[in-house]
Amino acid sequence: MGRLLGPDAILLDEAVSNAPAVRAHHRGERPGSFFAQSGSGGGWGSGAALGAKLAAPNRDVVLASGDGFYRFGSPDAALWTARQAGAPYLAVVFVNGRYSTGTRQVSQFYPGGYAERAGFPGGVFEPPPDYAAEARAAGGWGCYVEHPGEVADALGEGLRQTHAGLPAVVAVRVS
């Protein structure tokens, strides 16, 4: 992303466990070019990306999000609205098949509790949703990437799709 995005791009970071990598490659120095989560609530990214694009229609807007918080943000509604409103943004979703909202350690925090006894796995999407297919269903463009060598081309194509008027999602499988 660091090589792809110009200094006017707006980057929204909701990547959680991948946030250090997102921040390390952000080049924007312009005020208002970088927004990150400052609290414990997740799921703000899709709506914020749509809002940023509506507020700055001539700037590239990119959301970098972990799949858990992305899922919590009703991305299908945001993508559909982006398509209808002519406010396309690029969402890069880091797909690791889990979310870390405290549920991953439910047995540690509540040993013998209802969730543990019921076998609640906590914090796991298995299998994870196909976020690229969801983008296409909302009238946008989507690509699912499993190999690191494919990421740069997918991001470039995703940004080209936003320039053509379509919201885009690049779902990247990470370990």
Side-chain angles (χ1 to χ4, degrees):
M1 284 191 296
R3 287 189 296 254
L4 181 69
L5 300 177
D8 277 355
I10 299 171
L11 179 60
L12 303 143
D13 179 9
E14 191 177 37
V16 189
S17 58
N18 291 286
V22 171
R23 290 183 186 131
H25 296 287
H26 177 252
R27 300 180 308 130
E29 297 175 4
R30 178 179 174 177
S33 67
F34 182 80
F35 297 91
Q37 181 169 332
S38 60
S40 60
W44 61 270
S46 293
L50 173 60
K53 187 62 178 185
L54 288 168
N58 296 322
R59 294 173 69 183
D60 290 329
V61 175
V62 178
L63 165 64
S65 182
D67 57 346
F69 280 179
Y70 184 75
R71 176 83 272 139
F72 297 155
S74 300
D76 49 346
L79 290 165
W80 183 88
T81 303
R83 174 75 168 134
Q84 300 306 310
Y89 62 90
L90 171 62
V92 181
V93 183
F94 298 96
V95 181
N96 63 7
R98 61 182 187 268
Y99 55 99
S100 56
T101 59
T103 58
R104 289 177 52 209
Q105 300 170 335
V106 70
S107 295
Q108 178 184 349
F109 293 121
Y110 304 102
Y114 292 110
E116 182 182 38
R117 290 195 312 263
F120 176 68
V124 177
F125 294 127
E126 192 53 50
D130 186 340
Y131 302 107
E134 288 180 348
R136 292 188 298 273
W141 179 87
C143 177
Y144 190 89
V145 177
E146 295 190 59
H147 303 289
E150 301 171 344
V151 173
D153 288 343
L155 292 175
E157 183 59 29
L159 201 55
R160 281 188 289 281
Q161 293 293 329
T162 66
H163 294 164
L166 295 177
V169 172
V170 175
V172 182
R173 183 68 178 173
V174 296
S175 58

Short mmCIF file of all heavy atoms in Angstrom, two decimals, residues 36-68:
data_model
loop_
_atom_site.label_atom_id
_atom_site.label_comp_id
_atom_site.label_asym_id
_atom_site.label_seq_id
_atom_site.Cartn_x
_atom_site.Cartn_y
_atom_site.Cartn_z
N ALA A 36 -6.93 6.18 12.75
CA ALA A 36 -6.81 4.86 13.36
C ALA A 36 -7.75 4.76 14.55
O ALA A 36 -8.16 5.77 15.12
CB ALA A 36 -5.38 4.60 13.81
N GLN A 37 -8.05 3.57 14.90
CA GLN A 37 -8.91 3.30 16.04
C GLN A 37 -8.20 3.75 17.31
O GLN A 37 -7.04 3.43 17.54
CB GLN A 37 -9.18 1.80 16.10
CG GLN A 37 -10.09 1.43 17.22
CD GLN A 37 -10.53 -0.01 17.07
OE1 GLN A 37 -10.60 -0.51 15.96
NE2 GLN A 37 -10.83 -0.64 18.15
N SER A 38 -8.91 4.49 18.13
CA SER A 38 -8.31 4.96 19.37
C SER A 38 -9.02 4.40 20.59
O SER A 38 -8.68 4.73 21.71
CB SER A 38 -8.33 6.49 19.42
OG SER A 38 -9.66 6.96 19.34
N GLY A 39 -9.98 3.54 20.37
CA GLY A 39 -10.70 2.96 21.49
C GLY A 39 -10.85 1.46 21.31
O GLY A 39 -10.19 0.85 20.47
N SER A 40 -11.73 0.87 22.08
CA SER A 40 -11.88 -0.58 22.03
C SER A 40 -13.00 -1.04 21.11
O SER A 40 -13.14 -2.23 20.88
CB SER A 40 -12.14 -1.11 23.44
OG SER A 40 -13.34 -0.53 23.95
N GLY A 41 -13.79 -0.13 20.57
CA GLY A 41 -14.90 -0.52 19.71
C GLY A 41 -14.44 -0.79 18.29
O GLY A 41 -13.66 -0.03 17.72
N GLY A 42 -14.91 -1.88 17.73
CA GLY A 42 -14.54 -2.22 16.36
C GLY A 42 -15.73 -2.14 15.43
O GLY A 42 -16.88 -2.18 15.86
N GLY A 43 -15.43 -2.03 14.15
CA GLY A 43 -16.48 -2.02 13.14
C GLY A 43 -16.77 -0.64 12.58
O GLY A 43 -17.69 -0.49 11.78
N TRP A 44 -16.00 0.35 12.94
CA TRP A 44 -16.24 1.70 12.44
C TRP A 44 -15.70 1.92 11.03
O TRP A 44 -16.08 2.87 10.34
CB TRP A 44 -15.62 2.74 13.38
CG TRP A 44 -14.13 2.61 13.52
CD1 TRP A 44 -13.46 1.85 14.45
CD2 TRP A 44 -13.12 3.20 12.71
NE1 TRP A 44 -12.11 1.95 14.26
CE2 TRP A 44 -11.86 2.77 13.19
CE3 TRP A 44 -13.14 4.03 11.60
CZ2 TRP A 44 -10.65 3.16 12.62
CZ3 TRP A 44 -11.94 4.43 11.03
CH2 TRP A 44 -10.71 3.99 11.54
N GLY A 45 -14.81 1.07 10.55
CA GLY A 45 -14.05 1.31 9.33
C GLY A 45 -14.86 1.46 8.07
O GLY A 45 -14.61 2.38 7.27
N SER A 46 -15.81 0.58 7.81
CA SER A 46 -16.56 0.65 6.55
C SER A 46 -17.37 1.93 6.44
O SER A 46 -17.37 2.60 5.40
CB SER A 46 -17.47 -0.57 6.41
OG SER A 46 -16.71 -1.73 6.25
N GLY A 47 -18.05 2.29 7.51
CA GLY A 47 -18.81 3.54 7.50
C GLY A 47 -17.91 4.75 7.41
O GLY A 47 -18.23 5.72 6.73
N ALA A 48 -16.76 4.70 8.08
CA ALA A 48 -15.82 5.81 8.03
C ALA A 48 -15.23 5.96 6.63
O ALA A 48 -15.02 7.08 6.16
CB ALA A 48 -14.71 5.61 9.07
N ALA A 49 -14.95 4.84 5.96
CA ALA A 49 -14.41 4.91 4.59
C ALA A 49 -15.44 5.55 3.66
O ALA A 49 -15.09 6.40 2.83
CB ALA A 49 -14.02 3.52 4.11
N LEU A 50 -16.68 5.15 3.78
CA LEU A 50 -17.74 5.74 2.97
C LEU A 50 -17.85 7.24 3.26
O LEU A 50 -17.89 8.06 2.34
CB LEU A 50 -19.07 5.04 3.25
CG LEU A 50 -20.31 5.65 2.61
CD1 LEU A 50 -20.19 5.68 1.10
CD2 LEU A 50 -21.55 4.89 3.07
N GLY A 51 -17.86 7.60 4.52
CA GLY A 51 -17.96 9.01 4.89
C GLY A 51 -16.77 9.83 4.41
O GLY A 51 -16.93 10.96 3.94
N ALA A 52 -15.58 9.26 4.51
CA ALA A 52 -14.37 9.96 4.05
C ALA A 52 -14.44 10.21 2.55
O ALA A 52 -14.08 11.29 2.07
CB ALA A 52 -13.13 9.17 4.41
N LYS A 53 -14.92 9.22 1.81
CA LYS A 53 -15.01 9.39 0.35
C LYS A 53 -16.07 10.42 -0.02
O LYS A 53 -15.89 11.21 -0.95
CB LYS A 53 -15.29 8.04 -0.32
CG LYS A 53 -15.23 8.10 -1.83
CD LYS A 53 -13.85 8.52 -2.34
CE LYS A 53 -13.80 8.52 -3.85
NZ LYS A 53 -12.45 8.78 -4.34
N LEU A 54 -17.18 10.44 0.70
CA LEU A 54 -18.20 11.45 0.45
C LEU A 54 -17.68 12.84 0.76
O LEU A 54 -17.97 13.80 0.06
CB LEU A 54 -19.46 11.16 1.28
CG LEU A 54 -20.29 9.97 0.83
CD1 LEU A 54 -21.33 9.61 1.88
CD2 LEU A 54 -20.95 10.24 -0.52
N ALA A 55 -16.85 12.96 1.81
CA ALA A 55 -16.30 14.26 2.21
C ALA A 55 -15.16 14.70 1.30
O ALA A 55 -14.93 15.91 1.14
CB ALA A 55 -15.82 14.19 3.66
N ALA A 56 -14.44 13.73 0.72
CA ALA A 56 -13.28 14.05 -0.12
C ALA A 56 -13.34 13.23 -1.39
O ALA A 56 -12.57 12.29 -1.59
CB ALA A 56 -11.99 13.78 0.65
N PRO A 57 -14.28 13.55 -2.29
CA PRO A 57 -14.52 12.69 -3.45
C PRO A 57 -13.34 12.59 -4.43
O PRO A 57 -13.27 11.63 -5.19
CB PRO A 57 -15.73 13.33 -4.13
CG PRO A 57 -15.79 14.72 -3.62
CD PRO A 57 -15.18 14.70 -2.25
N ASN A 58 -12.41 13.51 -4.39
CA ASN A 58 -11.29 13.48 -5.31
C ASN A 58 -10.04 12.80 -4.74
O ASN A 58 -9.00 12.78 -5.39
CB ASN A 58 -10.94 14.90 -5.78
CG ASN A 58 -12.08 15.51 -6.56
OD1 ASN A 58 -12.74 14.83 -7.34
ND2 ASN A 58 -12.32 16.79 -6.35
N ARG A 59 -10.16 12.27 -3.53
CA ARG A 59 -9.02 11.60 -2.90
C ARG A 59 -9.27 10.10 -2.85
O ARG A 59 -10.41 9.64 -2.73
CB ARG A 59 -8.81 12.14 -1.48
CG ARG A 59 -8.40 13.61 -1.48
CD ARG A 59 -8.34 14.20 -0.11
NE ARG A 59 -7.23 13.64 0.66
CZ ARG A 59 -7.00 13.96 1.94
NH1 ARG A 59 -7.80 14.82 2.57
NH2 ARG A 59 -5.99 13.42 2.58
N ASP A 60 -8.19 9.32 -2.98
CA ASP A 60 -8.29 7.87 -2.77
C ASP A 60 -8.54 7.62 -1.30
O ASP A 60 -7.90 8.22 -0.43
CB ASP A 60 -7.00 7.17 -3.19
CG ASP A 60 -6.78 7.18 -4.69
OD1 ASP A 60 -7.78 7.17 -5.43
OD2 ASP A 60 -5.61 7.19 -5.11
N VAL A 61 -9.48 6.73 -1.01
CA VAL A 61 -9.78 6.33 0.37
C VAL A 61 -9.58 4.83 0.47
O VAL A 61 -10.14 4.07 -0.31
CB VAL A 61 -11.23 6.72 0.76
CG1 VAL A 61 -11.56 6.19 2.15
CG2 VAL A 61 -11.41 8.23 0.70
N VAL A 62 -8.76 4.44 1.45
CA VAL A 62 -8.45 3.03 1.66
C VAL A 62 -8.68 2.67 3.11
O VAL A 62 -8.17 3.33 4.02
CB VAL A 62 -6.99 2.71 1.26
CG1 VAL A 62 -6.67 1.25 1.52
CG2 VAL A 62 -6.75 3.06 -0.20
N LEU A 63 -9.45 1.62 3.31
CA LEU A 63 -9.66 1.04 4.63
C LEU A 63 -8.80 -0.21 4.74
O LEU A 63 -8.88 -1.09 3.89
CB LEU A 63 -11.14 0.68 4.82
CG LEU A 63 -11.47 -0.25 6.00
CD1 LEU A 63 -11.14 0.42 7.33
CD2 LEU A 63 -12.92 -0.67 5.93
N ALA A 64 -7.98 -0.28 5.78
CA ALA A 64 -7.24 -1.50 6.10
C ALA A 64 -7.85 -2.05 7.38
O ALA A 64 -7.85 -1.37 8.41
CB ALA A 64 -5.75 -1.19 6.30
N SER A 65 -8.40 -3.27 7.30
CA SER A 65 -9.15 -3.80 8.44
C SER A 65 -8.89 -5.28 8.64
O SER A 65 -8.74 -6.04 7.68
CB SER A 65 -10.65 -3.58 8.19
OG SER A 65 -11.41 -4.04 9.30
N GLY A 66 -8.88 -5.68 9.89
CA GLY A 66 -8.90 -7.10 10.20
C GLY A 66 -10.28 -7.64 9.88
O GLY A 66 -11.27 -6.89 9.88
N ASP A 67 -10.38 -8.93 9.61
CA ASP A 67 -11.67 -9.47 9.19
C ASP A 67 -12.73 -9.44 10.28
O ASP A 67 -13.91 -9.31 10.00
CB ASP A 67 -11.53 -10.86 8.58
CG ASP A 67 -10.88 -11.90 9.47
OD1 ASP A 67 -10.27 -11.54 10.50
OD2 ASP A 67 -10.97 -13.09 9.12
N GLY A 68 -12.33 -9.52 11.54
CA GLY A 68 -13.31 -9.46 12.62
C GLY A 68 -14.00 -8.12 12.69
O GLY A 68 -15.23 -8.03 12.62
#
